[in-house]
Amino acid sequence: MTNTPPLPADGSSTLRPSPSVVARATDVVRVFGSGDTAVRAVAGITASFRRGEMTAIVGPSGSGKSTMMHLLAGLDTPSSGTIELDGQLIARLSDDHLAALRHERMGFVFQSFNLLPGLTALENIRLPESLGARQRSRDDVWERELIARLDIGRVLHRRPHELSGGQQQRIAIARALAHRPAVVFADEPTGNLDLATGDIVLRLLSELVVDSGCGVILVTHDPRAASRADRVLALRDGRVVAELGRANATDISALMLADAHDHSDASLRTP
Ligand SMILES: Nc1ncnc2c1ncn2[C@@H]1O[C@H](COP(=O)(O)OP(=O)(O)OP(=O)(O)O)[C@@H](O)[C@H]1O
């Protein structure tokens, strides 16, 4: 096990620190490939994500949602522009510091739950504590509160295959929030759940966001899921084309449809 030095606290990689902003993208561009086959997956995005707030990123397939999420989480590097996460300018961090930042300050929730099948639910929740270059200490009080709020106390001894999809996603949420991250990335977290279960899971996640003060960045195709967010960013062709505050699923759907129509009109006009 290597000893990763603490994340820099001297401000050396801090850009315009703001206590309420957990992630910030400034003029971010990500180009894949080069020459005639180059794809501008993200074509100049500036956006801030705040504590205690869930922001949904919506848009049609290929609009750059996943690429943007990977960039914000430091899993990919922008071609230009900057990403700041929890006060740290990602480009200035060494690989070890970035790994430590991810381990200590970020949480992840995936469509496919990503629980380890050989471990019980509780072992899955606690697994990240023991991973990474530095072990995380456990906050027992917060862990008990999460278990109670997510109503998973009765299934902690079960393995993932003995759990429903909704229960598995609640375990995954507990795992993502157990270390009180600054920001949680949720990638289509309701994609494998029925509508009612998806609603419950997102309601719990949004309540926990407010109470724990972290920020959530939710990537989704689903207007109903996005309606649980405090803010909606609509992407198209790698750009933010609309921003809404809290909105209902009908309005978000209309926004996405209008977007799709604009897009097809634009394609028709292209010679
Ligand atoms: N590694 C890569 N190499 C080349 N092109 C890529 C790569 N990753 C993404 N792209 C392209 O970048 C664009 C944006 O892709 P991205 O996956 O970010 O979109 P998305 O909105 O998340 O789509 P979906 O909803 O289908 O997951 C697409 O045109 C995609 O083909």
Side-chain angles (χ1 to χ4, degrees):
M1 187 177 290
T2 56
N3 269 333
T4 309
L7 292 166
D10 60 358
S12 60
S13 48
T14 298
L15 182 76
R16 287 172 291 153
S18 161
S20 65
V21 172
V22 284
R24 190 194 324 260
T26 307
D27 298 329
V28 168
V29 171
R30 176 63 166 111
V31 180
F32 291 109
S34 59
D36 290 349
T37 56
V39 177
R40 279 168 83 82
V42 171
I45 290 185
T46 295
S48 293
F49 303 89
R50 288 178 283 275
R51 253 173 240 292
E53 189 175 85
M54 172 146 50
T55 302
I57 299 179
V58 302
S61 185
S63 57
K65 303 183 295 296
S66 305
T67 304
M68 194 59 211
M69 175 175 271
H70 291 154
L71 292 167
L72 286 165
L75 297 164
D76 188 13
T77 307
S79 307
S80 62
T82 57
I83 303 286
E84 182 194 354
L85 216 136
D86 196 30
Q88 307 289 323
L89 198 54
I90 282 187
R92 297 217 191 130
L93 297 177
S94 66
D95 288 350
D96 283 350
H97 277 127
L98 182 55
L101 183 70
R102 210 177 286 125
H103 185 58
E104 293 167 23
R105 308 300 295 144
M106 304 185 205
F108 294 89
V109 179
F110 303 96
Q111 177 171 359
S112 51
F113 319 132
N114 283 26
L115 301 177
L116 285 189
L119 300 184
T120 65
L122 184 61
E123 287 165 345
N124 266 287
I125 293 170
R126 292 179 174 173
L127 180 67
E129 281 167 23
S130 54
L131 298 176
R134 279 190 292 170
Q135 295 201 346
R136 292 197 312 224
S137 57
R138 185 186 318 147
D139 179 341
D140 287 324
V141 174
W142 175 235
E143 184 188 87
R144 275 199 296 276
E145 183 175 343
L146 278 173
I147 288 169
R149 299 267 299 267
L150 290 160
D151 194 20
I152 48 180
R154 280 166 293 119
V155 300
L156 290 175
H157 60 285
R158 295 199 203 156
R159 293 185 198 282
H161 73 273
E162 300 167 316
L163 299 172
S164 68
Q167 287 168 333
Q168 289 188 62
Q169 200 58 304
R170 289 171 196 223
I171 301 294
I173 289 172
R175 179 184 58 188
L177 289 170
H179 59 301
R180 291 186 174 277
V183 58
V184 170
F185 295 95
D187 192 359
E188 298 280 5
T190 58
N192 279 334
L193 304 176
D194 61 65
L195 284 180
T197 307
D199 271 350
I200 293 168
V201 162
L202 279 180
R203 178 175 53 74
L204 289 167
L205 183 59
S206 66
E207 288 170 5
L208 287 165
V209 167
V210 172
D211 294 355
S212 70
C214 71
V216 172
I217 299 173
L218 164 73
V219 162
T220 184
H221 284 97
D222 178 3
R224 193 169 158 139
S227 72
R228 281 271 168 213
D230 303 293
R231 191 164 70 113
V232 181
L233 296 182
L235 301 197
R236 189 181 71 203
D237 296 337
R239 295 179 190 278
V240 176
V241 290
E243 180 172 346
L244 295 179
R246 194 174 262 284
N248 62 39
T250 312
D251 289 346
I252 297 169
S253 226
L255 173 75
M256 290 167 78
L257 277 173
D259 207 32
H261 288 150
D262 287 353
H263 194 42
S264 58
D265 289 351
S267 318
L268 287 173
R269 282 197 298 273
T270 304

